[in-house]
Amino acid sequence: MKVIISKISSDFKTIVTGLFEDDKSISDYGILQGKQVIDNIKQFSNFNGSFGEFFSITSPEGKNIIVVGLGKKDEWNENKELNIGGKIYCELSRLKIKKAAILIEGNSANIAYGAFLRSFKFDKYKTKKDEKIVEVEEIAVLAKDEQLSDAEKLFECLRQEGEGIFFARSLITEPPNVLYPESYADRIKDELAKLGLEIEVLDKKQMEKENMGALLGVAQGSSKEPKLVIIKWDGTEKKEKPIAFVGKGITFDTGGISLKPSRGMESMKYDMAGSAAVVGVMHALAGRKAKVNAIGVVALAENAVDGNAQRPSDVVTSMSGQTIEVLNTDAEGRLILADALWYTQDRFSPKFIIDLATLTGAIVVALGNNEYAGLFSNNDELANNLIDAGIEVNEKLWRFPMNEAYDKIIDSPIADVQNIAPAGSGGDSITAAQFLQRFVNNVCWAHLDIAGSAWHEKGTDISPKGAVGFGIRLLNKLVEKYYEVNS
Ligand code: BES
Ligand code: MN
Ligand code: ZN
């Protein structure tokens, strides 16, 4: 679908306008008879402008006018603008309208962006077109002359982030027979190299040389070789320390010998959503030429089970030198991250590392689905900045405690650490984070457990059912707000 910002014009047959709950008028920008519209609505309905409700009339000039409720004026904000854009897209789609203009007081770029984000489609494996579906082809969000160029610029910038989100959603949605470590690494190269990002791929041999025994142990039960992809963005002087994002990229998680139950196992194709968020945010940073040096590291492996698969009770040696007793092969995310985190701090000495991972089912239990992701950190400033950025873009975080008491229960009797806490300990998401912390070497670090927020069964105003791309808007905002060099 094409979304554009356009100057005010009456060339459109369908115009979507907005009404605040507490307002008696709509702004008509001289192309609608606002008062008449309101009078007509009153004649037929009690429609009062509550958020996201729709009402349609035909204007005296014969135009199709769709009025959307904008809710209370003093609650109107950027996220509402995005959400209303998404809701309008859905309504147009429901009404089978191919082309429409949006004429709403507020930031046109945000409204356009919301519509764009909601329009994501993944239908490449459908061989027949659904005749009942009429696709929205074009939405033009109108802006006054004096706002036009600013709105266009902002939308261009937001769209760069949007492209990153669409790329991430496609990766997450791809079936695991198509997207496995090698093909995933190729997709990253193909899509990101053209944006000026530098891509490096470590293969199994190089991992062996780096002594990444934890990552290799997870991958050894699969016929697919693991890959570690390093994505570099230099947006400012070389001497600036980079910031780093690390992502869990399990392209399918069977659980290994600690096999998962069949029911619901199919959802484990999204066990690479953390890595997709890292890829997406690197895409966004390069797309908008962010003034920051950033490193993205994604650990890609399949957690499968064959005759060579690692066994519960195996001991592996991680790149850090620490030995790990693998008591449960389904706690594999922390194993691949152990080596990815160590590698990242060791090679790049970053200002901070933020990792994203669909790490524990327990975080879904703790937070419920979708609204929040779990936050764990060894640094209050980084944690608070993340929480702030999350509130701004409505990708909310909830911080969990970490301390020695949680840490000591993962000491292993025969190795340095074990990959799960003893049965009945509870707090699985926290012990998982404690495990990761042992591999960050005291670097400033935060971990986001996105197991509950990466995939949405119903969809949201700005994301259709399925892959959300959670974390990309959050991290892009974090960088923009706190870590970009001014010039
Ligand atoms: N990939 C799963 C976590 C997950 C669960 C992601 C639900 C998305 C939705 C992870 O590898 C896993 O299996 N974790 C185990 C850890 C346990 C063995 C300590 C879990 O949560 O059950
Ligand atoms: Mn698992
Ligand atoms: Zn997993």
Side-chain angles (χ1 to χ4, degrees):
M1 181 188 60
K2 201 164 124 193
V3 187
I4 55 168
I5 308 283
S6 166
K7 65 179 194 321
I8 310 272
S9 116
S10 54
D11 289 350
F12 297 87
K13 281 201 209 118
T14 294
I15 297 178
V16 183
T17 180
L19 177 68
F20 282 108
E21 218 174 288
D22 22 30
D23 242 3
K24 301 268 170 313
S25 62
I26 54 173
S27 29
D28 48 28
Y29 293 81
I31 64 167
L32 292 177
Q33 297 188 345
K35 192 174 168 313
Q36 190 99 61
V37 171
I38 297 280
D39 287 349
N40 282 355
I41 292 173
K42 286 220 178 98
Q43 242 181 47
F44 297 113
S45 132
N46 283 331
F47 176 81
N48 73 338
S50 56
F51 190 76
E53 277 180 22
F54 287 90
F55 192 80
S56 304
I57 57 158
T58 306
S59 78
E61 299 86 10
K63 283 192 190 302
N64 178 24
I65 309 288
I66 300 175
V67 188
V68 59
L70 303 177
K72 296 204 168 63
K73 205 168 198 165
D74 55 8
E75 289 172 9
W76 186 243
N77 60 26
E78 277 185 27
N79 286 315
K80 289 265 168 75
E81 288 172 339
L82 248 62
N83 291 345
I84 219 66
K87 280 188 190 296
I88 292 169
Y89 169 82
C90 291
E91 181 70 1
L92 292 172
S93 169
R94 191 181 70 84
L95 296 170
K96 304 186 196 301
I97 293 172
K98 286 189 182 166
K99 194 172 168 184
I102 299 179
L103 191 59
I104 290 177
E105 196 81 46
N107 193 325
S108 315
N110 288 333
I111 296 167
Y113 188 39
F116 175 78
L117 286 176
R118 189 61 180 73
S119 74
F120 175 76
K121 287 219 163 50
F122 190 92
D123 49 14
K124 64 192 273 198
Y125 297 112
K126 287 199 180 289
T127 60
K128 287 183 224 73
K129 232 181 136 57
D130 186 341
E131 299 299 336
K132 284 179 295 230
I133 296 176
V134 176
E135 302 215 350
V136 183
E137 284 164 10
E138 185 182 325
I139 294 181
V141 186
L142 309 186
K144 290 182 189 151
D145 284 346
E146 62 271 25
Q147 291 162 354
L148 195 63
S149 94
D150 280 354
E152 273 173 339
K153 259 186 235 146
L154 176 61
F155 183 50
E156 190 39 51
C157 185
L158 291 171
R159 189 206 280 281
Q160 292 303 334
E161 181 189 79
E163 299 290 347
I165 293 172
F166 276 29
F167 184 43
R169 286 178 186 168
S170 311
L171 293 168
I172 297 167
T173 314
E174 280 290 358
N177 60 328
V178 174
L179 196 89
Y180 47 89
E182 188 181 1
S183 59
Y184 189 176
D186 288 343
R187 291 276 290 267
I188 295 173
K189 270 189 279 182
D190 291 349
E191 180 75 18
L192 296 196
K194 60 185 184 223
L195 290 171
L197 288 150
E198 221 180 284
I199 318 287
E200 204 183 311
V201 182
L202 300 196
D203 62 15
K204 191 174 155 213
K205 266 214 185 88
Q206 290 161 297
M207 290 178 199
E208 280 163 357
K209 234 172 95 192
E210 301 278 4
N211 299 313
M212 297 184 169
L215 205 174
L216 288 163
V218 171
Q220 80 186 32
S222 166
S223 59
K224 310 289 188 198
E225 279 199 9
K227 303 281 175 195
L228 191 87
V229 184
I230 299 126
I231 309 162
K232 264 192 252 173
W233 171 246
D234 290 325
T236 182
E237 282 117 81
K238 283 267 189 290
K239 63 177 199 304
E240 277 288 322
K241 270 189 171 188
I243 59 175
F245 304 118
V246 172
K248 168 180 175 182
I250 293 290
T251 56
F252 193 75
D253 182 9
T254 67
I257 288 185
S258 313
L259 193 66
K260 285 186 181 297
S262 323
R263 187 174 289 264
M265 199 200 276
E266 70 280 2
S267 72
M268 283 302 110
K269 75 167 178 179
Y270 83 77
D271 211 16
M272 36 59 72
S275 66
V278 170
V279 171
V281 76
M282 295 307 288
H283 189 302
L285 293 178
R288 68 177 183 82
K289 302 213 170 351
K291 293 190 184 56
V292 69
N293 294 339
I295 306 285
V297 174
V298 291
L300 313 181
E302 183 179 61
N303 189 22
V305 51
D306 67 10
N308 190 44
Q310 73 179 340
R311 294 142 290 254
S313 77
D314 276 5
V315 173
V316 296
T317 304
S318 66
M319 183 188 178
S320 73
Q322 297 174 86
T323 54
I324 304 165
E325 190 183 11
V326 180
L327 293 180
N328 188 318
T329 63
D330 197 12
E332 85 297 340
R334 65 198 75 180
L335 295 172
I336 66 166
L337 288 174
D339 281 338
L341 288 167
W342 188 268
Y343 178 82
T344 303
Q345 61 79 30
D346 184 53
R347 174 164 170 199
F348 298 107
S349 311
K351 257 184 228 156
F352 62 73
I353 304 179
I354 298 171
D355 78 71
L356 298 97
T358 47
L359 205 63
T360 64
I363 205 74
V364 188
V365 178
L367 294 171
N369 237 351
N370 309 137
E371 274 268 339
Y372 280 86
L375 164 65
F376 306 79
S377 181
N378 60 5
N379 183 284
D380 290 342
E381 188 186 332
L382 179 61
N384 290 332
N385 290 350
L386 274 163
I387 290 170
D388 271 7
I391 291 169
E392 273 200 40
V393 301
N394 203 26
E395 289 190 339
K396 296 192 281 292
L397 301 175
W398 193 260
R399 190 173 180 186
F400 284 76
M402 297 186 71
N403 72 25
E404 252 180 75
Y406 292 113
D407 185 62
K408 71 169 186 245
I409 58 174
I410 52 171
D411 283 338
S412 154
I414 65 160
D416 297 329
V417 62
Q418 57 190 41
N419 78 331
I420 52 163
S425 310
D428 273 350
S429 308
I430 303 175
T431 41
Q434 294 288 167
F435 180 94
L436 297 179
Q437 190 177 23
R438 293 194 185 201
F439 298 88
V440 298
N441 209 8
N442 293 319
V443 171
C444 174
W445 156 82
H447 155 61
L448 308 182
D449 193 337
I450 61 168
S453 44
W455 188 271
H456 208 298
E457 272 315 318
K458 293 199 193 80
T460 71
D461 286 344
I462 57 169
S463 179
K465 166 181 155 62
V468 175
F470 187 98
I472 299 171
R473 299 180 54 234
L474 168 75
L475 296 179
N476 195 23
K477 175 61 77 181
L478 178 86
V479 172
E480 180 200 310
K481 218 175 155 193
Y482 298 106
Y483 300 104
E484 255 177 279
V485 188
N486 299 313
S487 68

